[in-house]
Amino acid sequence: MGQNRIELVEVGPRDGFQNLKEYISMEDKLHYIDGLIGAGVKHIQITSFVSPKAIPQMKDARELAGHCAAMYPDVDLFSLVPNLYGAKAAWECGLKKTSYVISLSESHNEANINRTREQSLEELGRIREELPDLTILSDIATAFACPFEGIMMLDGLLELMGKIYGLGVREFVLCDTIGMAHPAQVREYVRAAMKEFPDCRFQVHIHDTRNMGIVNTLAAIECGVQGVQSTLGGLGGCPFAPGASGNTSTEDLVYMLNRMGYETGIEFERLLALAKEEHSAIPGAYSGHHINIGAQACGMNV
Ligand code: COA
Ligand code: ZN
């Protein structure tokens, strides 16, 4: 991969929608997924296979994933799962890849998925055994900081990653679940992780809670991660992490990276139109600053 290429990974249909209380119809969800693909987005986390009691918004996961897998065979579609039950469901729907979430912080893992980290690791072992052909991205939630335990230590992160690596996983997503990281911490943790696991691929997933989503994401890109996650319109948040708010917004990121000369393959104007539509059509959609960026006023198309 050349220096100016970066995989932009849209997680809005999962991390964005999961935080909205009012149910968004499957038809509307498909409309956004279709719009993203139309704008050139090639990597999309379309849903999560989780308990509908935990996240009612994702109750249509099977139907939606089955539809998308059949409809967009050339797009890199994946989901998020917390356990074997979810991984089996994702696989049965035709998804070849899924994120499997474990929190670095013990207390967040228990709040999020009602399991200890040890239990989550054992479950990952079972998934690898039962579904050896399913590609697993390891989402490390609270990799930088936790709403209950504060700043997380780098050695703890590397230790947990080592256990996951030992189970055969070769792609990691370092998640700043509550947007507490800063660029120096991102650089330190990402560089150390890449050095420790040189045969792995890396992504970051950064929330914009303290307006540092874009600088933190850029810090990770400049360290050489292969992919960065974001959400259309900056939607998002973890219902089990108090204070978590939206993600880095995809349109901000695309605007910046296209102008910096990165090959994103995404048409900014189409993406912006979709973000504006989402912003006005979806109840509770995050009303951040993202829609008012200068490019819109200038009508620039870069
Ligand atoms: N998808 C759908 N249903 C699931 C499921 C999955 N992946 N895993 C378990 N269930 C169902 C079980 O079948 C059971 O159903 P029943 O009550 O009808 O018998 C019920 O959920 C409880 O199962 P159990 O294994 O006891 O789970 P739990 O209550 O301990 O909850 C999780 C554990 C992981 C299922 C739940 O905490 C969860 O889904 N968390 C996801 C949180 C999330 O998405 N956070 C944001 C993304 S990081
Ligand atoms: Zn998130």
mmCIF file of all heavy atoms in Angstrom, residues 132-166:
data_model
loop_
_atom_site.group_PDB
_atom_site.id
_atom_site.type_symbol
_atom_site.label_atom_id
_atom_site.label_comp_id
_atom_site.label_asym_id
_atom_site.label_seq_id
_atom_site.Cartn_x
_atom_site.Cartn_y
_atom_site.Cartn_z
ATOM 1 N N PRO A 132 -13.267 -21.098 11.638
ATOM 2 C CA PRO A 132 -11.879 -20.747 11.296
ATOM 3 C C PRO A 132 -11.747 -19.847 10.069
ATOM 4 O O PRO A 132 -10.742 -19.148 9.912
ATOM 5 C CB PRO A 132 -11.218 -22.114 11.066
ATOM 6 C CG PRO A 132 -12.337 -23.069 10.817
ATOM 7 C CD PRO A 132 -13.524 -22.541 11.562
ATOM 8 N N ASP A 133 -12.755 -19.852 9.194
ATOM 9 C CA ASP A 133 -12.647 -19.032 7.978
ATOM 10 C C ASP A 133 -13.226 -17.629 8.143
ATOM 11 O O ASP A 133 -13.163 -16.812 7.220
ATOM 12 C CB ASP A 133 -13.345 -19.747 6.806
ATOM 13 C CG ASP A 133 -12.630 -21.057 6.476
ATOM 14 O OD1 ASP A 133 -11.390 -21.119 6.677
ATOM 15 O OD2 ASP A 133 -13.307 -22.019 6.069
ATOM 16 N N LEU A 134 -13.810 -17.363 9.276
ATOM 17 C CA LEU A 134 -14.335 -16.015 9.527
ATOM 18 C C LEU A 134 -13.159 -15.108 9.916
ATOM 19 O O LEU A 134 -12.433 -15.406 10.858
ATOM 20 C CB LEU A 134 -15.361 -16.066 10.672
ATOM 21 C CG LEU A 134 -15.952 -14.739 11.134
ATOM 22 C CD1 LEU A 134 -16.845 -14.125 10.052
ATOM 23 C CD2 LEU A 134 -16.788 -14.941 12.413
ATOM 24 N N THR A 135 -12.964 -14.034 9.168
ATOM 25 C CA THR A 135 -11.881 -13.090 9.508
ATOM 26 C C THR A 135 -12.314 -12.242 10.699
ATOM 27 O O THR A 135 -13.399 -11.661 10.689
ATOM 28 C CB THR A 135 -11.565 -12.176 8.305
ATOM 29 O OG1 THR A 135 -11.161 -13.017 7.227
ATOM 30 C CG2 THR A 135 -10.462 -11.192 8.623
ATOM 31 N N ILE A 136 -11.443 -12.202 11.693
ATOM 32 C CA ILE A 136 -11.771 -11.435 12.903
ATOM 33 C C ILE A 136 -10.895 -10.187 12.990
ATOM 34 O O ILE A 136 -9.669 -10.252 12.890
ATOM 35 C CB ILE A 136 -11.493 -12.275 14.179
ATOM 36 C CG1 ILE A 136 -12.286 -13.593 14.168
ATOM 37 C CG2 ILE A 136 -11.757 -11.467 15.430
ATOM 38 C CD1 ILE A 136 -13.722 -13.476 14.587
ATOM 39 N N LEU A 137 -11.578 -9.053 13.166
ATOM 40 C CA LEU A 137 -10.875 -7.824 13.537
ATOM 41 C C LEU A 137 -11.039 -7.716 15.033
ATOM 42 O O LEU A 137 -12.164 -7.790 15.527
ATOM 43 C CB LEU A 137 -11.556 -6.582 12.961
ATOM 44 C CG LEU A 137 -11.791 -6.421 11.490
ATOM 45 C CD1 LEU A 137 -12.405 -5.048 11.226
ATOM 46 C CD2 LEU A 137 -10.476 -6.520 10.786
ATOM 47 N N SER A 138 -9.962 -7.521 15.741
ATOM 48 C CA SER A 138 -10.094 -7.396 17.184
ATOM 49 C C SER A 138 -10.282 -5.934 17.556
ATOM 50 O O SER A 138 -9.361 -5.132 17.446
ATOM 51 C CB SER A 138 -8.845 -7.967 17.840
ATOM 52 O OG SER A 138 -8.830 -7.604 19.187
ATOM 53 N N ASP A 139 -11.506 -5.597 17.980
ATOM 54 C CA ASP A 139 -11.780 -4.235 18.464
ATOM 55 C C ASP A 139 -11.366 -4.166 19.922
ATOM 56 O O ASP A 139 -11.953 -4.859 20.760
ATOM 57 C CB ASP A 139 -13.298 -3.970 18.420
ATOM 58 C CG ASP A 139 -13.753 -3.349 17.125
ATOM 59 O OD1 ASP A 139 -13.096 -3.586 16.101
ATOM 60 O OD2 ASP A 139 -14.796 -2.654 17.151
ATOM 61 N N ILE A 140 -10.379 -3.343 20.221
ATOM 62 C CA ILE A 140 -10.026 -3.158 21.632
ATOM 63 C C ILE A 140 -10.698 -1.878 22.097
ATOM 64 O O ILE A 140 -10.218 -0.769 21.818
ATOM 65 C CB ILE A 140 -8.506 -3.026 21.835
ATOM 66 C CG1 ILE A 140 -7.750 -4.098 21.040
ATOM 67 C CG2 ILE A 140 -8.181 -3.046 23.323
ATOM 68 C CD1 ILE A 140 -7.388 -5.320 21.767
ATOM 69 N N ALA A 141 -11.840 -2.035 22.774
ATOM 70 C CA ALA A 141 -12.546 -0.861 23.299
ATOM 71 C C ALA A 141 -11.769 -0.320 24.491
ATOM 72 O O ALA A 141 -11.017 -1.054 25.139
ATOM 73 C CB ALA A 141 -13.960 -1.251 23.707
ATOM 74 N N THR A 142 -11.941 0.956 24.757
ATOM 75 C CA THR A 142 -11.244 1.664 25.846
ATOM 76 C C THR A 142 -9.719 1.446 25.799
ATOM 77 O O THR A 142 -9.064 1.309 26.831
ATOM 78 C CB THR A 142 -11.769 1.275 27.269
ATOM 79 O OG1 THR A 142 -11.504 -0.110 27.525
ATOM 80 C CG2 THR A 142 -13.257 1.516 27.406
ATOM 81 N N ALA A 143 -9.146 1.392 24.598
ATOM 82 C CA ALA A 143 -7.711 1.131 24.453
ATOM 83 C C ALA A 143 -6.866 2.273 25.037
ATOM 84 O O ALA A 143 -5.715 2.063 25.418
ATOM 85 C CB ALA A 143 -7.363 0.944 22.982
ATOM 86 N N PHE A 144 -7.432 3.466 25.077
ATOM 87 C CA PHE A 144 -6.666 4.621 25.559
ATOM 88 C C PHE A 144 -7.166 5.104 26.929
ATOM 89 O O PHE A 144 -6.394 5.567 27.750
ATOM 90 C CB PHE A 144 -6.766 5.779 24.551
ATOM 91 C CG PHE A 144 -6.266 5.405 23.174
ATOM 92 C CD1 PHE A 144 -7.128 4.929 22.184
ATOM 93 C CD2 PHE A 144 -4.914 5.518 22.863
ATOM 94 C CE1 PHE A 144 -6.657 4.581 20.919
ATOM 95 C CE2 PHE A 144 -4.434 5.181 21.605
ATOM 96 C CZ PHE A 144 -5.310 4.702 20.628
ATOM 97 N N ALA A 145 -8.477 4.997 27.116
ATOM 98 C CA ALA A 145 -9.060 5.473 28.377
ATOM 99 C C ALA A 145 -10.426 4.837 28.584
ATOM 100 O O ALA A 145 -11.075 4.423 27.627
ATOM 101 C CB ALA A 145 -9.206 6.993 28.340
ATOM 102 N N CYS A 146 -10.826 4.770 29.841
ATOM 103 C CA CYS A 146 -12.084 4.103 30.199
ATOM 104 C C CYS A 146 -12.936 5.056 31.032
ATOM 105 O O CYS A 146 -12.387 5.792 31.860
ATOM 106 C CB CYS A 146 -11.725 2.850 31.009
ATOM 107 S SG CYS A 146 -13.132 2.159 31.900
ATOM 108 N N PRO A 147 -14.248 5.033 30.847
ATOM 109 C CA PRO A 147 -15.090 5.940 31.637
ATOM 110 C C PRO A 147 -15.071 5.604 33.132
ATOM 111 O O PRO A 147 -15.396 6.463 33.955
ATOM 112 C CB PRO A 147 -16.495 5.716 31.057
ATOM 113 C CG PRO A 147 -16.438 4.400 30.346
ATOM 114 C CD PRO A 147 -15.025 4.235 29.892
ATOM 115 N N PHE A 148 -14.693 4.373 33.479
ATOM 116 C CA PHE A 148 -14.693 3.965 34.895
ATOM 117 C C PHE A 148 -13.290 3.935 35.495
ATOM 118 O O PHE A 148 -13.097 4.174 36.670
ATOM 119 C CB PHE A 148 -15.322 2.565 35.045
ATOM 120 C CG PHE A 148 -16.612 2.404 34.285
ATOM 121 C CD1 PHE A 148 -16.696 1.563 33.183
ATOM 122 C CD2 PHE A 148 -17.747 3.117 34.664
ATOM 123 C CE1 PHE A 148 -17.888 1.426 32.471
ATOM 124 C CE2 PHE A 148 -18.946 2.979 33.963
ATOM 125 C CZ PHE A 148 -19.013 2.141 32.860
ATOM 126 N N GLU A 149 -12.280 3.602 34.655
ATOM 127 C CA GLU A 149 -10.935 3.376 35.195
ATOM 128 C C GLU A 149 -9.929 4.469 34.796
ATOM 129 O O GLU A 149 -8.778 4.412 35.214
ATOM 130 C CB GLU A 149 -10.411 2.002 34.729
ATOM 131 C CG GLU A 149 -11.250 0.851 35.271
ATOM 132 C CD GLU A 149 -10.746 -0.532 34.861
ATOM 133 O OE1 GLU A 149 -9.571 -0.676 34.482
ATOM 134 O OE2 GLU A 149 -11.564 -1.469 34.913
ATOM 135 N N GLY A 150 -10.351 5.406 33.953
ATOM 136 C CA GLY A 150 -9.446 6.489 33.553
ATOM 137 C C GLY A 150 -8.485 6.066 32.455
ATOM 138 O O GLY A 150 -8.778 5.160 31.663
ATOM 139 N N ILE A 151 -7.313 6.716 32.423
ATOM 140 C CA ILE A 151 -6.324 6.461 31.358
ATOM 141 C C ILE A 151 -5.825 5.028 31.453
ATOM 142 O O ILE A 151 -5.492 4.542 32.532
ATOM 143 C CB ILE A 151 -5.121 7.433 31.506
ATOM 144 C CG1 ILE A 151 -5.589 8.893 31.449
ATOM 145 C CG2 ILE A 151 -4.071 7.162 30.423
ATOM 146 C CD1 ILE A 151 -6.275 9.319 30.178
ATOM 147 N N MET A 152 -5.776 4.343 30.329
ATOM 148 C CA MET A 152 -5.317 2.950 30.302
ATOM 149 C C MET A 152 -3.826 2.913 29.959
ATOM 150 O O MET A 152 -3.336 3.722 29.183
ATOM 151 C CB MET A 152 -6.123 2.144 29.277
ATOM 152 C CG MET A 152 -7.628 2.118 29.537
ATOM 153 S SD MET A 152 -8.118 1.615 31.190
ATOM 154 C CE MET A 152 -7.744 -0.130 31.161
ATOM 155 N N MET A 153 -3.148 1.944 30.556
ATOM 156 C CA MET A 153 -1.691 1.861 30.406
ATOM 157 C C MET A 153 -1.296 1.073 29.160
ATOM 158 O O MET A 153 -1.925 0.075 28.807
ATOM 159 C CB MET A 153 -1.076 1.181 31.637
ATOM 160 C CG MET A 153 -1.235 1.993 32.905
ATOM 161 S SD MET A 153 -0.307 3.554 32.795
ATOM 162 C CE MET A 153 -1.596 4.732 33.051
ATOM 163 N N LEU A 154 -0.212 1.516 28.536
ATOM 164 C CA LEU A 154 0.252 0.882 27.304
ATOM 165 C C LEU A 154 0.652 -0.587 27.517
ATOM 166 O O LEU A 154 0.346 -1.449 26.685
ATOM 167 C CB LEU A 154 1.432 1.682 26.741
ATOM 168 C CG LEU A 154 2.114 1.126 25.502
ATOM 169 C CD1 LEU A 154 1.131 0.952 24.352
ATOM 170 C CD2 LEU A 154 3.263 2.048 25.077
ATOM 171 N N ASP A 155 1.314 -0.882 28.635
ATOM 172 C CA ASP A 155 1.743 -2.290 28.804
ATOM 173 C C ASP A 155 0.545 -3.225 28.913
ATOM 174 O O ASP A 155 0.579 -4.362 28.431
ATOM 175 C CB ASP A 155 2.736 -2.455 29.973
ATOM 176 C CG ASP A 155 2.228 -1.852 31.266
ATOM 177 O OD1 ASP A 155 1.126 -1.269 31.259
ATOM 178 O OD2 ASP A 155 2.918 -1.977 32.292
ATOM 179 N N GLY A 156 -0.536 -2.755 29.528
ATOM 180 C CA GLY A 156 -1.761 -3.565 29.619
ATOM 181 C C GLY A 156 -2.354 -3.805 28.236
ATOM 182 O O GLY A 156 -2.826 -4.904 27.916
ATOM 183 N N LEU A 157 -2.290 -2.778 27.412
ATOM 184 C CA LEU A 157 -2.812 -2.910 26.043
ATOM 185 C C LEU A 157 -2.016 -3.972 25.280
ATOM 186 O O LEU A 157 -2.590 -4.870 24.651
ATOM 187 C CB LEU A 157 -2.732 -1.549 25.326
ATOM 188 C CG LEU A 157 -3.071 -1.552 23.836
ATOM 189 C CD1 LEU A 157 -4.540 -1.930 23.608
ATOM 190 C CD2 LEU A 157 -2.798 -0.180 23.207
ATOM 191 N N LEU A 158 -0.710 -3.873 25.368
ATOM 192 C CA LEU A 158 0.131 -4.825 24.615
ATOM 193 C C LEU A 158 -0.056 -6.252 25.138
ATOM 194 O O LEU A 158 -0.057 -7.216 24.358
ATOM 195 C CB LEU A 158 1.608 -4.404 24.686
ATOM 196 C CG LEU A 158 1.920 -3.037 24.069
ATOM 197 C CD1 LEU A 158 3.400 -2.708 24.224
ATOM 198 C CD2 LEU A 158 1.501 -2.953 22.599
ATOM 199 N N GLU A 159 -0.267 -6.362 26.428
ATOM 200 C CA GLU A 159 -0.461 -7.699 27.013
ATOM 201 C C GLU A 159 -1.773 -8.330 26.492
ATOM 202 O O GLU A 159 -1.793 -9.483 26.072
ATOM 203 C CB GLU A 159 -0.502 -7.565 28.534
ATOM 204 C CG GLU A 159 -0.434 -8.899 29.248
ATOM 205 C CD GLU A 159 -0.719 -8.748 30.747
ATOM 206 O OE1 GLU A 159 -0.484 -7.653 31.305
ATOM 207 O OE2 GLU A 159 -1.191 -9.731 31.328
ATOM 208 N N LEU A 160 -2.834 -7.525 26.501
ATOM 209 C CA LEU A 160 -4.109 -8.053 25.992
ATOM 210 C C LEU A 160 -3.992 -8.393 24.505
ATOM 211 O O LEU A 160 -4.454 -9.451 24.045
ATOM 212 C CB LEU A 160 -5.232 -7.023 26.215
ATOM 213 C CG LEU A 160 -6.605 -7.429 25.674
ATOM 214 C CD1 LEU A 160 -7.142 -8.673 26.403
ATOM 215 C CD2 LEU A 160 -7.613 -6.288 25.801
ATOM 216 N N MET A 161 -3.337 -7.506 23.752
ATOM 217 C CA MET A 161 -3.167 -7.772 22.314
ATOM 218 C C MET A 161 -2.377 -9.066 22.087
ATOM 219 O O MET A 161 -2.661 -9.819 21.166
ATOM 220 C CB MET A 161 -2.464 -6.598 21.634
ATOM 221 C CG MET A 161 -3.345 -5.361 21.554
ATOM 222 S SD MET A 161 -2.444 -3.952 20.894
ATOM 223 C CE MET A 161 -2.378 -4.378 19.185
ATOM 224 N N GLY A 162 -1.398 -9.298 22.944
ATOM 225 C CA GLY A 162 -0.596 -10.521 22.823
ATOM 226 C C GLY A 162 -1.466 -11.769 22.960
ATOM 227 O O GLY A 162 -1.290 -12.743 22.225
ATOM 228 N N LYS A 163 -2.409 -11.729 23.894
ATOM 229 C CA LYS A 163 -3.301 -12.884 24.090
ATOM 230 C C LYS A 163 -4.194 -13.080 22.866
ATOM 231 O O LYS A 163 -4.456 -14.197 22.440
ATOM 232 C CB LYS A 163 -4.151 -12.678 25.343
ATOM 233 C CG LYS A 163 -3.335 -12.744 26.614
ATOM 234 C CD LYS A 163 -4.206 -12.515 27.835
ATOM 235 C CE LYS A 163 -3.322 -12.553 29.092
ATOM 236 N NZ LYS A 163 -3.998 -12.044 30.273
ATOM 237 N N ILE A 164 -4.655 -11.971 22.322
ATOM 238 C CA ILE A 164 -5.540 -12.046 21.148
ATOM 239 C C ILE A 164 -4.740 -12.534 19.926
ATOM 240 O O ILE A 164 -5.210 -13.369 19.157
ATOM 241 C CB ILE A 164 -6.204 -10.663 20.919
ATOM 242 C CG1 ILE A 164 -7.127 -10.346 22.099
ATOM 243 C CG2 ILE A 164 -6.958 -10.622 19.597
ATOM 244 C CD1 ILE A 164 -7.601 -8.913 22.174
ATOM 245 N N TYR A 165 -3.530 -12.025 19.810
ATOM 246 C CA TYR A 165 -2.633 -12.459 18.733
ATOM 247 C C TYR A 165 -2.410 -13.973 18.828
ATOM 248 O O TYR A 165 -2.436 -14.694 17.830
ATOM 249 C CB TYR A 165 -1.299 -11.712 18.854
ATOM 250 C CG TYR A 165 -0.295 -12.032 17.775
ATOM 251 C CD1 TYR A 165 -0.224 -11.249 16.624
ATOM 252 C CD2 TYR A 165 0.571 -13.122 17.894
ATOM 253 C CE1 TYR A 165 0.695 -11.536 15.629
ATOM 254 C CE2 TYR A 165 1.491 -13.415 16.898
ATOM 255 C CZ TYR A 165 1.554 -12.624 15.772
ATOM 256 O OH TYR A 165 2.451 -12.914 14.776
ATOM 257 N N GLY A 166 -2.249 -14.452 20.055
ATOM 258 C CA GLY A 166 -2.038 -15.885 20.291
ATOM 259 C C GLY A 166 -3.216 -16.734 19.832
ATOM 260 O O GLY A 166 -3.072 -17.935 19.591
#
